[in-house]
Amino acid sequence: MNKAEVLKEIIEQRRSIFPKDYSDTEISQEILDEILHSATLAPNHKRTKPWRFKIFRGEEKAKLALEMQSIYKSTQSETLFLEKKYNDIGFKINKADTVVSIVVNFSGMVPEWEEIAAVSMAVQNMYLTCTANNIGCYWSSPKIVDHLKESLTIEENQKCLGFLYMGVI
């Protein structure tokens, strides 16, 4: 198979695969490094490299789950609070082997949409690399991320665009 055929096959197989379908097998550090490196190869105008990723695994991931559940609970009125949604937040994070926060850094050198587009291309590179390595992933952008500025150490010129959940399938 030539490179174009391999690429076409990977693109055709790329899907959002959700944590409920992940196995309990760990993603090797080597594959995780490959996934993250592929993100940094995304095109970006004026080489601003606007993506900022924070990796959550193990204990840090468990803390993220508890924090997001707490935020959900504290931001919902009693009439809007759903126990199922609360539990789903924790389940998705804990079932994923790795959760990556996706943050855009606005440099001021190019229009904001270009920075967001570059980050989106970086995430697409991660999706394709996950697919090539039999890793399931999906990008989620819950409103809760707006309340995570401190724990994600998001600066004034940055915005969290969500999380990439990853797990072996």
Side-chain angles (χ1 to χ4, degrees):
M1 212 183 279
N2 68 36
K3 289 180 185 180
E5 290 169 335
V6 171
L7 178 60
K8 182 178 184 251
E9 184 177 321
I10 292 169
I11 291 170
E12 288 174 346
Q13 290 176 2
R14 194 225 38 89
R15 301 273 181 281
S16 290
I17 299 174
F18 303 98
K20 68 179 182 55
D21 297 315
Y22 301 164
S23 73
D24 292 331
T25 306
E26 279 188 27
I27 299 170
S28 73
Q29 189 62 48
E30 180 183 13
I31 290 176
L32 184 57
D33 290 345
E34 182 183 335
I35 292 165
L36 294 167
H37 176 69
S38 72
T40 67
L41 301 175
N44 55 102
H45 191 191
K46 295 195 185 274
R47 298 185 183 153
T48 62
K49 299 181 182 179
W51 43 81
R52 302 292 182 270
F53 302 115
K54 184 172 182 179
I55 312 307
F56 294 88
R57 297 183 101 179
E59 194 175 306
E60 276 194 323
K61 186 175 59 101
K63 285 180 187 175
L64 176 67
L66 291 172
E67 182 178 8
M68 287 183 62
Q69 284 178 309
S70 176
I71 291 167
Y72 172 72
K73 193 171 193 173
S74 68
T75 58
Q76 299 300 306
S77 67
E78 283 185 42
T79 55
L80 293 178
F81 178 81
L82 299 171
E83 189 74 28
K84 182 182 180 340
K85 184 166 183 167
Y86 175 86
N87 291 333
D88 282 350
I89 291 167
F91 172 79
K92 285 191 286 189
I93 294 169
N94 288 310
K95 183 67 174 147
D97 174 72
T98 305
V99 177
V100 179
S101 64
I102 303 164
V103 174
V104 60
N105 182 71
F106 298 112
S107 67
M109 295 171 60
V110 298
E112 287 186 0
W113 75 265
E114 288 188 20
E115 306 277 35
I116 293 169
V119 172
S120 298
M121 287 186 274
V123 173
Q124 176 71 345
N125 283 359
M126 288 194 288
Y127 256 96
L128 296 173
T129 306
C130 282
T131 301
N133 285 285
N134 294 314
I135 304 297
C137 67
Y138 100 102
W139 183 354
S140 175
S141 52
K143 287 187 177 279
I144 293 171
V145 299
D146 294 337
H147 299 275
L148 293 170
K149 279 189 171 253
E150 193 171 304
S151 59
L152 295 178
T153 57
I154 295 176
E155 298 171 15
E156 195 62 36
N157 62 321
Q158 298 176 339
K159 179 176 176 52
C160 182
L161 301 178
F163 293 98
L164 187 69
Y165 295 81
M166 295 187 286
V168 175
I169 48 175

